[in-house]
Amino acid sequence: MAGNTIGKLFKLTTFGESHGEAIGGVIDGCPAGLKINKDFIQLELTRRKTGPSFFSSNREEKDEVNFISGLFDGQTTGAPLAFVIKNINAKSDDYETIKEIYRPSHADYTYDKKYSIRDYRGGGRASARETVARVVAGAIAKQVLEQSQIKIIAYVSQIGSIKLQKTYKELDFKTIESNFVRCPDADTAQQMLDYLEIVKNNNDSVGGVITCVVSLCPIGLGEPIFDKLQADLAKAMLSIPSVKGFDYGSGFDAASMLGSENNDIFVIDNNQQITTKTNHSGGIQGGISNGEDIYFRVAFKPIASIMKEQQTIDRNKNQVTLKIKGRHDVCAIPRAVPIVEAMAAIVFTDHFLRNKAYLFDKK
Amino acid sequence: MAGNTIGKLFKLTTFGESHGEAIGGVIDGCPAGLKINKDFIQLELTRRKTGPSFFSSNREEKDEVNFISGLFDGQTTGAPLAFVIKNINAKSDDYETIKEIYRPSHADYTYDKKYSIRDYRGGGRASARETVARVVAGAIAKQVLEQSQIKIIAYVSQIGSIKLQKTYKELDFKTIESNFVRCPDADTAQQMLDYLEIVKNNNDSVGGVITCVVSLCPIGLGEPIFDKLQADLAKAMLSIPSVKGFDYGSGFDAASMLGSENNDIFVIDNNQQITTKTNHSGGIQGGISNGEDIYFRVAFKPIASIMKEQQTIDRNKNQVTLKIKGRHDVCAIPRAVPIVEAMAAIVFTDHFLRNKAYLFDKK
Amino acid sequence: MAGNTIGKLFKLTTFGESHGEAIGGVIDGCPAGLKINKDFIQLELTRRKTGPSFFSSNREEKDEVNFISGLFDGQTTGAPLAFVIKNINAKSDDYETIKEIYRPSHADYTYDKKYSIRDYRGGGRASARETVARVVAGAIAKQVLEQSQIKIIAYVSQIGSIKLQKTYKELDFKTIESNFVRCPDADTAQQMLDYLEIVKNNNDSVGGVITCVVSLCPIGLGEPIFDKLQADLAKAMLSIPSVKGFDYGSGFDAASMLGSENNDIFVIDNNQQITTKTNHSGGIQGGISNGEDIYFRVAFKPIASIMKEQQTIDRNKNQVTLKIKGRHDVCAIPRAVPIVEAMAAIVFTDHFLRNKAYLFDKK
Amino acid sequence: MAGNTIGKLFKLTTFGESHGEAIGGVIDGCPAGLKINKDFIQLELTRRKTGPSFFSSNREEKDEVNFISGLFDGQTTGAPLAFVIKNINAKSDDYETIKEIYRPSHADYTYDKKYSIRDYRGGGRASARETVARVVAGAIAKQVLEQSQIKIIAYVSQIGSIKLQKTYKELDFKTIESNFVRCPDADTAQQMLDYLEIVKNNNDSVGGVITCVVSLCPIGLGEPIFDKLQADLAKAMLSIPSVKGFDYGSGFDAASMLGSENNDIFVIDNNQQITTKTNHSGGIQGGISNGEDIYFRVAFKPIASIMKEQQTIDRNKNQVTLKIKGRHDVCAIPRAVPIVEAMAAIVFTDHFLRNKAYLFDKK
């Protein structure tokens, strides 16, 4: 079974290559009667595209989304929503020189071996450009989630070794978009920017971490034993290009904690509702949302395309020196913020519908 | 869609509750004609059961697996393999006193809210006892993988703050089973054991990390864009009870690395084969195995059932003091080693078959 | 992908061979909180088992269903429902003589070729005994459907060339169980019985047709374009052993009708509801239930095991004369009535949940 | 779960409405390295479009297929194949007058009730125009099947009460395309044409039957117990607009046959291969292809859009008289021939890959 579909009830299938005619997707399972806000979708696409002018790649795409089907009078009809974003500014000539070369830590080699044929232009199907389709689907998912109250917010919490020291509760999410690195803490953001300047001058790239917070999630999302909420989130995140790790709640830190530290004591809040004193569980217990904030971290490796010269191998096993042309991101993490949100929105919409299917008044 | 099935071509569906009649599973998609080594399955079940006598829970189960279907003359027939492991030593009375109580950081509360009804005996469906079915399926998956040469080995690399400082290449995997903590380094193992003694005396529990290494994996496993090998591994691992995080290759460390550090330079090895100088990619590039070792880490939280007194809430929102009866593991990480291996084996078998379906000589 | 699962939200996986330890199944996706009436399940199993004493096979099975998981205090918990029915009266020795022989119009040959190994005892996985698991799942599905008002009734409408001439509207369904052939018309039933007597005396078997009527189905079930209600019904019916055809509404007769004859004119009924004057659509338009009765026919071939001597071939391509031992049904159609109902119930439950997942108040 | 995807390993998702921008599809799971013959695809699309000039609807579409992704240098890359066929000649004004009206035996009413919103233009998603996407996918599937030798041929075997009396073995398939009704028997074809002339003059429409023959199918396709080959074929056929019935082999006729008549006796042919004397099994036994010809019938109702005046109801429950404007097919059966073939090709390709995944040399 090929792997270009994600979700069970809210199902996204994507298609398209970096330098093909278009990137696109089909959403099957979007509830009918939803008024689609296209401006919002465009806004999300812009967030994905935007980074600090001097850190971003030089490919300029309008990223206008065109819906081919599934909408009538601006509303979803229950039919599949197909959409495309044209590739306009693809300069395939840039890639002619490297069509035989396996770029280090790219997918060139594995695609070649798996499929015996490879669209080498701009990374083909393996390019991060594919994520525009995820962002469109995520923007629609976010609109479905408005039916409940679920809110999904992500931000950059680490670039290189510079880590945001505050927890998400201490941050003002409104400031996320106020700086180029999408870090909601002015001091840390400045340190990150300064550091990126150095990395850029060294013709290098650097990794980082995105933290995502999902609030107001109803109790009950997640389908044990295998489709636990955290399991589907992990899969969705690890499917994003360059992602190397995922943890939620106390995460990897839980490994060095005692049970008495990590356990979340149940208490009654001021509204006489059950809540927990701490939230090391990250809003999920037994694979099911418990009504607390869900938060998780996504680790990204540095972009593999660096401006430094690198040694590598070509298809014919010749040693070659690679000097990547064009300009590439020094750090893609800020631009990945809307992608993380989009994938989370798809997972939550899917689980929202999955949970709803089984809820009914018993006789 | 409910969530008790994992895999697409090698599909495992599990069932059973901690104190029900049995735990079991159905494997649909095991190739026909495979001679099943039942002793090996029983050995794997014993590995899951075994821990240091004084750290383990006092439930004594024989864990004998009985195959109901799918075998004929000891071979798989292509029909679904159904199996059960009886629950013999379940003492449900122990749980009578806590049937109304929400134990901290357990699934009691979320199951109650999601399903409105809950089998409270021993954690019911949410109990880690469910993992016996995973171990059986994993043991069969390992036997399918003998068709290729894939080898899967896991070990404990951290307990509490005690971390194994060596990389997997510096270790002798033959020593994994030589100590109670399944750590293939005698000194570190001793430190872990000493530390567990302290934790135990404090009536507490502690978390840890398991590292898993998959070697001799053929190039080409993994199905972009969503069913990347690391994505399906992440999902499988996060579906294990108590797991809080996953990373592979350079993982979370990649966040603070430069591209020039993290990139794996392609070189030609002594056999004139393409290989990489380093392996920060963790054997996966673009979601597809590249022939190098695949390695990943799985973070576990401390067991939620501790012997200390804890404050909590019951179904009727009364505050209660919880003192868990019986004896529970101080640290389940060593026992989770075969579970991590089993889930990995299921994922690799599934992807091995998925890849094979599309391989053929083109005209 | 192996094929032992049916349904998307109400998912049944079956396992077991005719002469193995047991036949069983796992239902994943049964809503929680349903009080299961086990007597009703047992009743359905008895309907499947029962036929006229002198027409039925001599295998006497108690067919007691044992639920391994998913029930607590007699209610579904949302966890998978696993169940087994033991094979007690299997006499495998009867089959020893034919283990190398390919019985005409049985699955011996194809199983041998597909899987290279075959459980020849009693037909193994290909035996109609497997349908006990379908009947159990169908009985549970019927109980889920009580949440809506959907009623599913099947009866025998043809045996050999003896056809029931009345439409389902002219019949009294209460009389279905009043005769051995499950035909709700006394005269036709008697003709069928007389005919079966002749067939029996000739050591032969004979085919037939079952008609199924689903009433009170809510409008809106069915998921275009591929999972149309009739498409999923057709698949479910054709998956039953010996089934050779399916049609619904005007069915094959529609081929010789004019549009002006076949079209169902919309009218307003006495309750001011929209209905249709005729119902050639069989209650489904555009793949979606329209609130009218859904009715369909299922054609069965004669049982392949006949008492007459037959020429055939064995594994080694030797010509052999086959004289089947034991006693076999002359006509399995009456016993297939509860199987057709069960498969219909599974399809309707699945679509009931699928439809419900997408229904919500739009903002 | 929405229903716009068919297939497991060769997966087709379709999208688009009759009068939307385009109809299209995504194929996920087409093996890599396949040289796509676009002329052949276009030819198949032309077959679907073509009928006798005076029987066909007046919509003139070029039906040019445009591949957006998945091809490189004319070959499949293993990435999803997305394609669109633009709707150019859609005249939505024709439908303005009927946007509130429920046309008899159309999907207007059920779509309205299920989704609460409906793209009424030309039938929207429920239009048979959607089948262009199936034909494109079928044409690609046929090219995959060239890897094996499977041949799929369909023809018209009945229009109204005029039935082709010959079996498929007596026919010369080369003559199928030689007449407007796609009936490979000149006399019967002429009778059909004469009859259609009468129907047309009466402003009526008429149903029919298509027979499909699949030859040279390897032994072993089909996945018991639920995904039997005939079950998946039945589903695929019943998903085609206007289809009311399916049977295979002796089909509905088997109901009136004796076991001794219907059983296919195994014999050894001149090449020392196992074959059957008769083929009432229709090439499938136990849900698995047995190497003989597979043949099945598909029954179609008459087109619901007739030129006669009809009484009906509108959204507001008013009685209205409907006089359909524009011109419509008198009989769509000839045009459905390539659609039946396409759906068969998709099913066989899917099962070809599914079977292949499990075939391997056992140690």
Side-chain angles (χ1 to χ4, degrees), chain C residues 87-300:
Chain C
N87 293 323
I88 292 166
N89 196 28
K91 295 180 181 156
S92 300
D93 297 349
D94 289 1
Y95 291 90
E96 199 58 30
T97 56
I98 56 159
K99 74 181 196 183
E100 303 276 295
I101 293 176
Y102 296 141
R103 292 169 298 163
S105 290
H106 271 279
D108 304 341
Y109 175 64
T110 50
Y111 268 65
D112 233 20
K113 287 290 171 183
K114 183 179 179 73
Y115 301 114
S116 304
I117 177 177
R118 177 167 62 93
D119 181 349
Y120 55 81
R121 301 165 306 160
R125 180 69 181 147
S127 165
R129 174 137 184 85
E130 167 265 334
T131 57
V132 291
R134 303 181 185 223
V135 170
V136 172
I140 289 172
K142 283 183 178 179
Q143 296 181 47
V144 178
L145 290 177
E146 287 173 18
Q147 303 293 328
S148 81
Q149 298 184 285
I150 301 173
K151 276 262 165 298
I152 298 170
I153 304 273
Y155 59 91
V156 173
S157 53
Q158 182 181 342
I159 284 183
S161 51
I162 299 162
K163 294 185 195 183
L164 177 55
Q165 299 300 335
K166 296 174 181 165
T167 70
Y168 76 89
K169 297 224 170 198
E170 302 167 89
L171 300 169
D172 179 4
F173 289 165
K174 290 198 203 79
T175 69
I176 294 172
E177 298 291 326
S178 68
N179 59 64
F180 283 140
V181 283
R182 293 201 164 107
C183 175
D185 180 77
D187 287 351
T188 314
Q190 192 53 53
Q191 291 175 47
M192 288 172 172
L193 285 163
D194 294 346
Y195 179 59
L196 286 178
E197 190 66 34
I198 299 167
V199 174
K200 183 190 157 234
N201 290 337
N202 286 330
N203 286 330
D204 219 326
S205 65
V206 69
V209 173
I210 289 173
T211 297
C212 185
V213 182
V214 183
S215 50
L216 300 175
C217 178
I219 306 173
L221 304 202
E223 301 294 330
I225 291 301
F226 296 116
D227 296 353
K228 289 174 176 171
L229 195 50
Q230 71 270 36
D232 278 356
L233 280 170
K235 174 175 169 136
M237 296 306 143
L238 266 296
S239 80
I240 299 173
S242 294
V243 170
K244 303 289 289 189
F246 166 92
D247 69 0
Y248 78 103
S250 47
F252 271 90
D253 287 345
S256 43
M257 288 168 80
L258 296 170
S260 57
E261 290 174 303
N262 189 66
N263 277 1
D264 296 319
I265 301 306
F266 285 109
V267 292
I268 302 293
D269 70 10
N270 294 334
N271 303 317
Q272 291 302 306
Q273 297 302 308
I274 293 175
T275 182
T276 57
K277 224 174 182 170
T278 50
N279 185 14
H280 298 114
S281 299
I284 305 172
Q285 289 172 330
I288 299 167
S289 62
N290 69 354
E292 306 297 317
D293 291 338
I294 293 164
Y295 61 98
F296 56 86
R297 294 189 307 153
V298 186
F300 288 77

Side-chain angles (χ1 to χ4, degrees), chain D residues 191-206:
Chain D
Q191 290 175 48
M192 288 173 172
L193 285 163
D194 293 346
Y195 178 60
L196 285 177
E197 190 65 35
I198 298 169
V199 175
K200 183 191 157 228
N201 290 337
N202 285 331
N203 286 330
D204 218 325
S205 65
V206 69

Side-chain angles (χ1 to χ4, degrees), chain A residues 285-349:
Chain A
Q285 288 171 330
I288 300 167
S289 61
N290 68 353
E292 306 297 317
D293 291 337
I294 293 164
Y295 61 98
F296 56 87
R297 295 188 307 153
V298 186
F300 289 77
K301 70 171 186 177
I303 289 172
S305 290
I306 56 175
M307 308 305 290
K308 268 193 208 307
E309 246 181 40
Q310 295 179 96
Q311 295 305 307
T312 192
I313 297 291
D314 71 11
R315 268 194 102 143
N316 307 309
K317 301 190 181 174
N318 301 312
Q319 254 202 314
V320 290
T321 301
L322 173 69
K323 174 77 177 135
I324 292 173
K325 286 202 286 188
R327 284 200 51 104
H328 290 269
D329 277 8
V330 168
C331 180
I333 325 297
R335 289 176 58 194
V337 164
I339 300 169
V340 164
E341 288 181 8
M343 292 311 293
I346 290 166
V347 170
F348 277 88
T349 302

